[in-house]
Amino acid sequence: MAKPNHEGVRIEVADTGEGIPPEDLAFVFDRFWRGDASRARSVYTGGGLGLAIARQLVEAHGGRIAVRSEPGRGTTFTVDLSGG
């Protein structure tokens, strides 16, 4: 969902998946980080770069990206871009 705010635009992407454990939230934007290490190689084929690239792109445009999550309920990523 995208909606205007007082600074520009806010984009939210949410799911109703398993969520991210609180102790992992600080790492989700780190390069090469993958969630559950016990499943990372057998289930996920990504390189752990997508969210790091998203952060770089958002910040390069003067924006901010954030994540909030509740285990068992899902995750929401929020991107704020200024109208600059």
Side-chain angles (χ1 to χ4, degrees):
M1 166 179 45
K3 58 185 174 183
N5 65 20
H6 64 281
E7 296 175 2
V9 67
R10 172 170 279 188
I11 301 164
E12 291 187 351
V13 178
D15 70 30
T16 56
E18 64 185 58
I20 301 169
E23 63 271 14
D24 290 343
L25 285 175
F27 304 106
V28 297
F29 296 108
D30 290 353
R31 284 181 284 162
F32 307 114
W33 183 83
R34 292 177 171 189
D36 184 348
S38 66
R39 296 184 312 157
R41 295 203 189 273
S42 63
V43 177
Y44 304 108
T45 58
L49 291 173
L51 290 172
I53 292 169
R55 180 181 60 183
Q56 290 287 325
L57 287 170
V58 169
E59 290 177 354
H61 287 86
R64 294 183 328 236
I65 187 169
V67 61
R68 65 183 186 276
S69 187
E70 187 176 341
R73 301 208 59 169
T75 303
T76 301
F77 288 90
T78 304
V79 175
D80 287 307
L81 298 170
S82 65

